Amino acid sequence: MIRTALLSTALTALALALAGSAHAADLAVTVHDVRVQTGTLRAALVDSAAAWDGKAKPVQAQQTAPSGDSAHFTFKGVPAGSYAVLLTHDENDNGKLDTNLVGMPVEGYGFSNNPQVMRKPTFDEARVNVPAAGAAIDITLR
C-alpha cells in the first residue's frame, strides 16, 4: 500500500515537472527609432548560429507595416532557451535590405542586445535568454 502511494506520488511529481518544462513563453519585442512610415518591418527569431547565418529556418518570423516611431512583435509559444532576433525595415518594399556601394545598409536594421559593432554581430553577441516565464526586449533600429 505504501509502495503504491509512493509510486503514485512520484508519477504525479514527474507529470507536473514535465508539464512545467513543456510550458512555452512569449518573447515581446519593442522596436524603437522607426524612421519612415513606408515599407515593411520584418523580425525573425532564431535559436542557432546556423539560423542566424541563414543556413536554417527561423523559429518564427513576423512582419508588420510601420505605424509611428516604434513597433511591437510578440513571438508566442517559445520554449525556454537562448534565441536571437534579427530585424529589418524594408523601407521601399523591394524584398531586400538595400545597401550602399561599400555594403553598408541604407535601410533600418537591428538585433537583439543592440550590439555596438561595425559588422553583423554573431549569434552569441545577439543572444538573449527566454525563461519559462517569458521575456521582453528592446531593439533600436540603426
Side-chain angles (χ1 to χ4, degrees), residues 2-61:
I2 293 175
R3 192 167 141 187
T4 303
L6 287 175
L7 181 59
S8 176
T9 302
L11 288 175
T12 301
L14 178 61
L16 289 173
L18 289 175
S21 66
H23 177 68
D26 291 348
L27 174 61
V29 179
T30 300
V31 181
H32 301 279
D33 294 345
V34 177
R35 61 183 175 220
V36 298
Q37 304 306 300
T38 59
T40 304
L41 289 161
R42 293 186 176 91
L45 178 69
V46 300
D47 62 355
S48 67
W52 182 257
D53 294 332
K55 297 176 183 165
K57 290 184 178 185
V59 174
Q60 292 184 35

Side-chain angles (χ1 to χ4, degrees), residues 62-108:
Q62 298 179 13
Q63 66 182 35
T64 190
S67 177
D69 62 355
S70 64
H72 303 279
F73 293 94
T74 301
F75 295 103
K76 294 187 175 289
V78 177
S82 293
Y83 299 90
V85 178
L86 299 99
L87 192 92
T88 60
H89 184 179
D90 183 3
E91 297 172 10
N92 59 5
D93 260 340
N94 68 349
K96 63 181 184 174
L97 182 66
D98 294 329
T99 60
N100 63 18
L101 291 175
V102 294
M104 294 297 296
V106 295
E107 295 180 305

